[in-house]
Amino acid sequence: MNEPAEERPELREALSPEPALSLDPLAPQEQAPQPWLARVRETLHDYFLGADPDFAIAMVPHCFLAMLLFTRHPTKTNFIFDEQEALLANPYVRSASDPASKIRWVDAFYRDFWGLPPDRSIGSYRPMPDLVWRGLWKLGVRDNPFLDHWVNVILHGFNGALVTLLVLRLTRDRLAAWMAGGLFVTAAVLTEAVSGVVGIADVLGGTGALLALLSLTLRAPFMVPSLFVATLFGLYSKESALCIVPLVPLAALFLSQLFHPGKPRRWLRAALALAATGAAFALYVEARRRMFVTRANPEYSVELNATKGLGTRIFTTLLRWYAQPILPHDPLNNPLIEATPPYRVAGALRVYFRGLVQVVFPRHLSGDYSAPEEPIPSQLVFPESVLGAAFMVLPLALAPLLGIAAWVRARRNAKYATYAENFGDMPGGYVELPPIDLRPVVAFALVWIVVSYFPVSNIPIALPTVRAERFWYFPAIGTSILLSLVFIGGYRALAARGRGAYAIVAIAAFFLMQGVFARRHANDYTNDLVFWNSTRHAVPKSSKAHLNYSVMLGARGDLEGRLKANAVALELTPKWPMA
């Protein structure tokens, strides 16, 4: 008698295509083993996109990436260029190993960046880097700069993690957040700040700026003190961190609807942010005026500016209160010092445009751009000055339009703002939301790039340096956010048409290019001879590069090579006494 297969266990087992899976979730399930490549892919997906990253999760890959790109050789390096004066000749730092020294730890706030008292200073006031260097010197780091340099590298990875968290809070998009952090860490234009020990001032200043921006995600009672401390930390790290004072309140105005969609209260948050950053700036200036007393700059005196226009009088009044020190007047380091204001601005706009190009395509990177590499322009209007002006003015004009359009849409969609105020407390970190309007993020990034660069642009005042890639550490925060949105938007647009692979290849090529140029330029900081040899090839019109290369050759006994290199410097700047 034939029995149905389902009533005969032996037939049911033989006909079954695969073993039946238990419905008990705790019971072991038999699955086919995955290929190793699929397991790696799944692991990476879970790490980066499986959940919203916290700070520790974000910091690990960014620090390893920074180490891969920027680490010097631990044993084949020495103190290069400004590092010799900043550390080896710094009396504040070296006093850490002298028991008889009367220089105290707190004296970092009474001395300049080079450890000198106010009457011998050129005006660089950055206590935080000196405190770090003195601590490392105390640990015995004296003859080898590797650990001093490695602090920069780890801090850069730290800042990359902060960029990731910031973009995550703005976009609630894990892929965009990781993209922004990766773009910031791999930005080859930042190599000078990360690989050069003295770049710690820029890196720490960037930390203060990022912490200030992340403070905006907190509730008002916690936001104000956090902003105050972050701003003060940035200012004591690098003077250019003063960009935090106007930019962070503006960020509160633009971004509160993204940080706090349920209750943006953008005007209140912007006012509180302005009060916190303004109070930190006022405390910084008043404390510096009393603890680091320098000679007043006669160019900003009341008598000299009494007959000038209202704008000039207000500007010089602010500089007198700020106690702007007398900056070095060295036409070799900055030829624009001797230019009339219109030609100085034209030259500064040219430098700004060239810096923007380096952010995207960093083929030529150098640690020095001295004369006559960046000379006074012969005319006011030329392609680079026009493009520099366009990229400085148009973002400031476009940002308010984007902000207003986003504000109108936010009011229309206010009833859909169901995002939890305490972000991250619930699974996944968010609930159902209408599409995120990223126009405020674009507007903020555009303004951040321009305004954070402006203090070091040589437009408001002439600086001792005509051009330096480390000046881009603050603007790179904005460029990284903007490029991440462009890349992710392009990828998703192409992926919707079945062409996502093209976007992946293009993005990977961009990261590879940045990484190759960053690693190549980081190798330039191996030692002083390599540094100046690379510099003279990168900027062949820099007389300082050729002269310093000749000095390095002479110190190694190559007198014939020294004469040849020095002859090039003399040909470039025949009136320079040192040449």
Side-chain angles (χ1 to χ4, degrees):
M1 183 175 181
N2 295 329
E3 296 180 358
E6 59 271 15
E7 296 182 5
R8 299 179 60 184
E10 64 275 17
L11 290 179
R12 185 171 64 245
E13 182 176 354
L15 295 174
S16 177
E18 59 183 13
L21 298 178
S22 170
L23 297 180
D24 182 0
L26 299 180
Q29 307 291 333
E30 294 185 16
Q31 298 179 356
Q34 289 182 310
W36 69 270
L37 188 59
R39 293 198 301 271
V40 170
R41 180 180 179 182
E42 182 179 350
T43 300
L44 292 175
H45 181 276
D46 290 344
Y47 187 93
F48 289 100
L49 301 176
D52 292 343
D54 57 21
F55 176 74
I57 293 295
M59 185 173 175
V60 171
H62 287 315
C63 284
F64 275 109
L65 182 58
M67 287 188 283
L68 176 67
L69 295 179
F70 302 108
T71 302
R72 291 183 180 181
H73 195 287
T75 60
K76 297 180 181 179
T77 186
N78 61 13
F79 290 100
I80 300 169
F81 194 24
D82 286 344
E83 298 172 4
Q84 297 173 9
E85 186 175 355
L87 284 97
L88 297 182
N90 189 318
Y92 173 80
V93 172
R94 290 188 292 109
S95 66
S97 59
D98 183 5
S101 175
K102 296 182 179 180
I103 299 179
R104 307 163 299 170
W105 280 86
V106 73
D107 285 338
F109 296 91
Y110 293 87
R111 292 173 173 261
D112 72 356
F113 186 50
W114 316 101
L116 301 175
D119 58 345
R120 296 171 53 197
S121 173
I122 62 172
S124 299
Y125 183 70
R126 303 158 193 173
M128 289 301 170
D130 276 324
L131 288 169
V132 173
W133 289 337
R134 182 177 170 120
L136 293 173
W137 196 275
K138 186 74 173 177
L139 295 174
V141 182
R142 301 168 192 173
D143 299 326
N144 193 314
F146 177 73
L147 187 55
D148 291 287
H149 153 68
W150 226 44
V151 169
N152 288 26
V153 176
I154 300 302
L155 285 172
H156 186 54
F158 179 98
N159 288 344
L162 295 181
V163 171
T164 298
L165 296 183
L166 176 65
V167 175
L168 180 66
R169 296 300 304 267
L170 288 171
T171 65
R172 269 103 66 193
D173 187 327
R174 296 164 189 162
L175 187 58
W178 283 109
M179 179 72 70
L183 286 168
F184 182 77
V185 172
T186 59
V189 75
L190 305 182
T191 305
E192 180 186 7
V194 183
S195 291
V197 173
V198 295
I200 191 174
D202 301 271
V203 177
L204 286 175
T207 303
L210 288 166
L211 291 175
L213 289 170
L214 283 168
S215 298
L216 298 178
T217 66
L218 304 174
R219 296 180 180 179
F222 304 102
M223 179 189 79
V224 172
S226 179
L227 258 180
F228 181 86
V229 173
T231 304
L232 206 58
F233 179 84
L235 289 169
Y236 275 122
S237 299
K238 184 73 182 285
E239 299 90 337
S240 53
L242 63 87
C243 67
I244 296 173
V245 179
L247 282 174
V248 171
L250 193 64
L253 192 63
F254 274 95
L255 306 177
S256 289
Q257 66 192 56
L258 298 175
F259 288 141
H260 309 277
K263 297 179 180 179
R265 297 174 180 170
R266 53 179 61 81
W267 289 104
L268 174 61
R269 295 182 191 278
L272 291 174
L274 182 60
T277 57
F281 181 63
L283 175 62
Y284 162 78
V285 172
E286 291 298 331
R288 180 171 57 82
R289 286 166 58 92
R290 289 162 174 77
M291 303 172 77
F292 188 72
V293 183
T294 57
R295 186 165 63 92
N297 193 328
E299 294 182 10
Y300 308 133
S301 65
V302 176
E303 296 77 15
L304 192 61
N305 294 277
T307 59
K308 296 183 178 180
L310 177 62
T312 301
R313 295 201 305 274
I314 293 175
F315 183 62
T316 53
T317 299
L318 291 174
L319 289 178
R320 283 197 304 274
W321 171 73
Y322 181 71
Q324 174 64 46
I326 300 176
L327 299 174
H329 187 94
D330 186 357
L332 177 73
N333 285 320
N334 186 359
L336 300 181
I337 285 178
E338 297 189 330
T340 59
Y343 283 89
R344 187 184 80 226
V345 171
L349 291 173
R350 175 191 65 202
V351 170
Y352 175 63
F353 174 72
R354 291 179 177 178
L356 283 173
V357 172
Q358 282 183 310
V359 171
V360 180
F361 187 61
R363 181 184 177 187
H364 296 292
L365 297 171
S366 172
D368 175 78
Y369 290 93
S370 300
E373 185 68 32
E374 290 286 357
I376 300 173
S378 59
Q379 54 188 6
L380 293 177
V381 179
F382 52 96
E384 287 178 312
S385 70
V386 173
L387 289 170
F391 280 107
M392 188 165 280
V393 173
L394 292 179
L396 299 180
L398 181 61
L401 301 178
L402 293 173
I404 292 172
W407 174 73
V408 171
R409 179 179 176 183
R411 286 181 62 85
R412 188 183 302 126
N413 295 333
K415 61 181 178 179
Y416 300 113
T418 56
Y419 176 71
E421 186 70 15
N422 54 340
F423 178 86
D425 288 345
M426 56 182 56
Y430 51 87
V431 293
E432 289 290 333
L433 280 171
I436 300 294
D437 188 352
L438 295 178
R439 285 177 294 183
V441 184
V442 174
F444 159 73
L446 290 172
V447 173
W448 181 276
I449 295 168
V450 175
V451 176
S452 64
Y453 182 83
F454 188 75
V456 296
S457 66
N458 277 292
I459 293 177
I461 60 173
L463 301 176
T465 303
V466 66
R467 178 180 175 187
E469 291 153 14
R470 64 181 181 275
F471 290 169
W472 283 91
Y473 202 89
F474 282 85
I477 297 172
T479 60
S480 299
I481 294 173
L482 194 61
L483 288 174
S484 71
L485 298 182
V486 171
F487 287 168
I488 295 301
Y491 162 71
R492 287 176 175 154
L494 289 175
R497 301 176 183 176
R499 299 178 180 178
Y502 294 105
I504 293 175
V505 170
I507 293 170
F510 183 85
F511 271 99
L512 180 63
M513 175 190 67
Q514 294 285 337
V516 168
F517 286 129
R519 182 63 262 173
R520 189 177 70 175
H521 190 34
N523 291 337
D524 295 343
Y525 291 80
T526 299
N527 58 56
D528 46 12
L529 180 65
V530 172
F531 177 80
W532 287 114
N533 187 35
S534 302
T535 302
R536 73 188 181 102
H537 285 102
V539 283
K541 293 181 181 180
S542 168
S543 56
K544 182 196 286 186
H546 291 282
L547 179 63
N548 281 313
Y549 180 63
S550 75
V551 173
M552 297 303 117
L553 289 177
R556 290 162 172 80
D558 186 354
L559 300 183
E560 182 178 353
R562 175 179 179 174
L563 288 174
K564 291 181 180 178
N566 195 54
V568 177
L570 185 60
E571 180 182 357
L572 290 169
T573 52
K575 295 182 179 180
W576 184 31
M578 288 187 67

